[in-house]
Amino acid sequence: MSSCGLKHILKTMGEKTVHIQYFALLREQRKQANESLHTNAQTPAELYRELAQKHPFTLAQENLQVALNEEFVSWETSLSDGDHLVFIPPVAGG
Amino acid sequence: MSSCGLKHILKTMGEKTVHIQYFALLREQRKQANESLHTNAQTPAELYRELAQKHPFTLAQENLQVALNEEFVSWETSLSDGDHLVFIPPVAGG
Amino acid sequence: MFRLSNSPLEINNLHASLQSETAGGFVCFEGRVRTLNEGKTVTSLEYESYGPLAEKEGLRVIQEAKEKFPIIAASCVHRIGHLQIGDIAIWVGVISQHRGPSFEACRYIIDEIKSRLPIWKKEHYQDGDSGWINCEKPNSSSK
Amino acid sequence: MFRLSNSPLEINNLHASLQSETAGGFVCFEGRVRTLNEGKTVTSLEYESYGPLAEKEGLRVIQEAKEKFPIIAASCVHRIGHLQIGDIAIWVGVISQHRGPSFEACRYIIDEIKSRLPIWKKEHYQDGDSGWINCEKPNSSSK
């Protein structure tokens, strides 16, 4: 089976590749600024729960906002293959 | 009778010398920026009535404020010999 | 600090004078000569003041602002003389630890200065007319 | 106009860009790095941002201010990177015909930008400690 064929089957099963960018405290706790990963998470909320089990994130979801493809979205938005996500810690501009 | 003696008698009679400075519309209507005059007026209110009879002032007393010796005062303040008065038209700074 | 100025306001110096290591916020207001006022085209204007009393009253306004709001410092300079369109007629600057008091004190200062200081403004109009603002409208017999 | 800047803000250029013959009032706000925050001595700080979204959201805030208040123009630049005490972190300027809307729009812009834009601040303290503001206090498990 070619890798293209595998990717197709995985997508059909709900797996997708998403690109995540980390900032501020999350970047320091993740120890990197971005990553691409395969996930079965259907929403940003599911994805954050998944990540929070693997990494020492101290911020609870209710303290974060989430941006999908450069726009703020709800935590229950459906994720698609290739999406770009940013979990936004409490802001402090100005 | 010396002029000093006359001055004394006039003062006793209530006459005094006051110095008036005019600004803005009042200066233009008085056609001069200041004058010193002898008056029997006891208060700035009386003095303004006296002046308004001689000059084409269009501002009514209720539209003016008055300053005596560089401070805002009431129209019923007693005038003294040598006082410096300014009738203050409606202001428009800033 | 409050003063009257016969020459153009030196904004950079005024700005530089309001510095403090503990200031997190700076707010300034500039009043500028604009070309239109109440439907008439203004070409230039003159400010005249009763200087000694204007300076006393201006300082009182600054002092009141310091008492009413938790600010670090406040300055104001009011221009006197003949001004052209775009010229700065008044500059008010305030610094404070947090931003709220700077906004409130700056607004307080400009509002009080406009309503209390013995300063008068004569506008010159494109149609050749001119007039002392607030002086000729209330009883229009003079025009 | 809204933008992020990695270099010191050029206040004179920003000021000069807000000119209009019909503007009678100009209000500006500068947020500066101050030495004390909540009792700790700050020595420097870093601003980090999610640039593309911060710029979109910044422009939205400026646009909202123009819809809510009768102003002529508004500009804001937010500094990103490593800042020292006294450095300007943000500059907001507004011009309008009358002064009220400039004050209100300037306050609206700074308030919204502080609360909505994806920009983060890390303070470095004299005692060697440091921290991301608003991120470490809510659940103090991280410190």
Side-chain angles (χ1 to χ4, degrees):
Chain A
M1 193 189 280
S2 74
S3 83
C4 260
L6 174 64
K7 207 168 165 186
H8 178 74
I9 289 169
L10 289 172
K11 273 189 208 173
T12 310
M13 290 168 65
E15 187 172 299
K16 55 195 74 72
T17 301
V18 294
H19 310 284
I20 308 173
Q21 213 176 339
Y22 295 103
F23 290 97
L25 186 61
L26 285 176
R27 176 177 51 71
E28 292 183 355
Q29 292 176 340
R30 182 63 188 86
K31 294 194 171 64
Q32 64 190 53
N34 48 69
E35 66 179 325
S36 294
L37 54 80
H38 303 291
T39 179
N40 284 306
Q42 301 292 310
T43 64
E46 281 179 38
L47 181 61
Y48 189 71
R49 272 197 293 280
E50 191 180 302
L51 290 164
Q53 283 169 357
K54 290 194 282 181
H55 309 296
F57 293 161
T58 52
L59 289 161
Q61 186 199 303
E62 63 260 34
N63 295 321
L64 302 172
Q65 292 174 275
V66 63
L68 187 64
N69 304 326
E70 300 187 0
E71 288 295 351
F72 291 106
V73 294
S74 128
W75 286 96
E76 301 310 322
T77 307
S78 288
L79 293 182
S80 301
D81 188 57
D83 275 348
H84 182 277
L85 280 121
V86 178
F87 298 107
I88 298 183
V91 304
Chain B
M1 193 188 285
S2 73
S3 83
C4 258
L6 174 63
K7 206 168 167 185
H8 177 74
I9 288 167
L10 289 172
K11 270 190 208 175
T12 310
M13 290 168 62
E15 187 171 299
K16 55 194 75 74
T17 301
V18 295
H19 310 284
I20 307 172
Q21 213 176 339
Y22 295 103
F23 290 99
L25 187 61
L26 286 177
R27 175 177 53 70
E28 291 183 355
Q29 292 176 340
R30 182 62 189 87
K31 293 194 172 66
Q32 63 190 54
N34 47 68
E35 67 179 323
S36 295
L37 54 79
H38 304 291
T39 179
N40 284 307
Q42 300 293 309
T43 64
E46 281 181 36
L47 180 61
Y48 189 71
R49 273 197 294 280
E50 191 181 302
L51 290 163
Q53 282 170 359
K54 291 194 282 181
H55 309 296
F57 294 160
T58 52
L59 289 161
Q61 186 199 303
E62 63 260 33
N63 295 323
L64 302 172
Q65 293 174 275
V66 63
L68 186 64
N69 304 326
E70 301 187 0
E71 288 296 350
F72 291 107
V73 295
S74 128
W75 286 96
E76 301 310 323
T77 307
S78 288
L79 293 181
S80 301
D81 188 56
D83 275 348
H84 183 275
L85 280 122
V86 178
F87 298 108
I88 298 183
V91 303
Chain C
M1 183 274 279
F2 176 86
R3 60 186 175 79
L4 301 171
S5 171
N6 278 298
S7 53
L9 306 192
E10 298 189 339
I11 301 304
N12 285 343
N13 294 351
L14 289 168
H15 179 263
S17 73
L18 287 171
Q19 300 289 336
S20 163
E21 287 210 333
T22 59
F26 162 83
V27 170
C28 90
F29 172 78
E30 271 178 31
R32 299 179 183 172
V33 180
R34 67 168 184 273
T35 188
L36 274 173
N37 195 24
E38 294 178 16
K40 299 196 84 168
T41 301
V42 177
T43 52
S44 70
L45 58 79
E46 285 165 69
Y47 280 105
E48 180 170 331
S49 84
Y50 173 26
L53 183 53
E55 295 200 332
K56 278 186 195 177
E57 193 72 1
L59 271 176
R60 275 193 282 257
V61 168
I62 299 283
Q63 193 54 42
E64 288 166 14
K66 286 184 183 167
E67 285 159 12
K68 284 177 195 289
F69 307 100
I71 61 175
I72 297 166
S75 295
C76 177
V77 183
H78 197 299
R79 181 73 194 283
I80 298 300
H82 200 184
L83 279 75
Q84 307 298 322
I85 302 301
D87 283 354
I88 300 172
I90 185 167
W91 190 93
V92 182
V94 182
I95 51 174
S96 55
Q97 195 180 349
H98 299 287
R99 69 190 183 284
S102 275
F103 274 102
E104 289 151 22
C106 189
R107 184 70 194 261
Y108 177 82
I109 292 167
I110 180 63
D111 286 355
E112 294 297 307
I113 281 182
K114 277 175 106 83
S115 65
R116 287 165 49 183
L117 268 60
I119 297 178
W120 302 275
K121 174 163 64 175
K122 186 178 198 171
E123 287 182 342
H124 296 271
Y125 305 107
Q126 198 166 42
D127 63 11
D129 205 0
S130 66
W132 290 100
I133 302 305
N134 297 340
C135 289
E136 324 217 19
K137 292 272 167 60
N139 45 356
S140 52
S141 59
S142 67
K143 296 207 74 174
Chain D
M1 182 274 279
F2 177 86
R3 60 186 175 79
L4 301 171
S5 171
N6 279 298
S7 52
L9 305 190
E10 297 189 340
I11 301 304
N12 285 345
N13 294 350
L14 290 167
H15 179 263
S17 74
L18 287 172
Q19 300 289 339
S20 163
E21 287 210 333
T22 60
F26 162 82
V27 171
C28 90
F29 172 78
E30 272 177 30
R32 299 178 184 173
V33 180
R34 67 169 183 271
T35 188
L36 274 173
N37 195 23
E38 295 179 15
K40 300 195 83 169
T41 301
V42 177
T43 52
S44 70
L45 59 78
E46 286 165 69
Y47 280 105
E48 180 171 331
S49 85
Y50 172 29
L53 183 52
E55 295 199 331
K56 277 186 193 176
E57 194 72 2
L59 272 176
R60 276 194 281 258
V61 168
I62 299 283
Q63 194 52 42
E64 288 165 14
K66 287 184 184 167
E67 285 159 13
K68 284 176 195 287
F69 308 100
I71 61 176
I72 297 166
S75 295
C76 176
V77 184
H78 198 300
R79 181 73 194 283
I80 298 300
H82 201 184
L83 280 75
Q84 306 298 322
I85 302 301
D87 283 355
I88 300 173
I90 186 167
W91 189 93
V92 182
V94 182
I95 51 174
S96 55
Q97 195 179 349
H98 300 287
R99 69 189 182 286
S102 274
F103 274 103
E104 288 151 23
C106 190
R107 184 70 194 262
Y108 177 82
I109 291 167
I110 180 62
D111 286 354
E112 295 296 307
I113 281 183
K114 277 175 106 83
S115 66
R116 287 164 49 183
L117 268 59
I119 296 177
W120 302 275
K121 174 163 64 176
K122 187 179 197 171
E123 288 183 342
H124 296 272
Y125 305 106
Q126 199 166 39
D127 63 11
D129 206 359
S130 67
W132 290 100
I133 302 306
N134 296 341
C135 288
E136 324 217 20
K137 292 271 167 60
N139 44 356
S140 51
S141 59
S142 69
K143 296 206 76 175

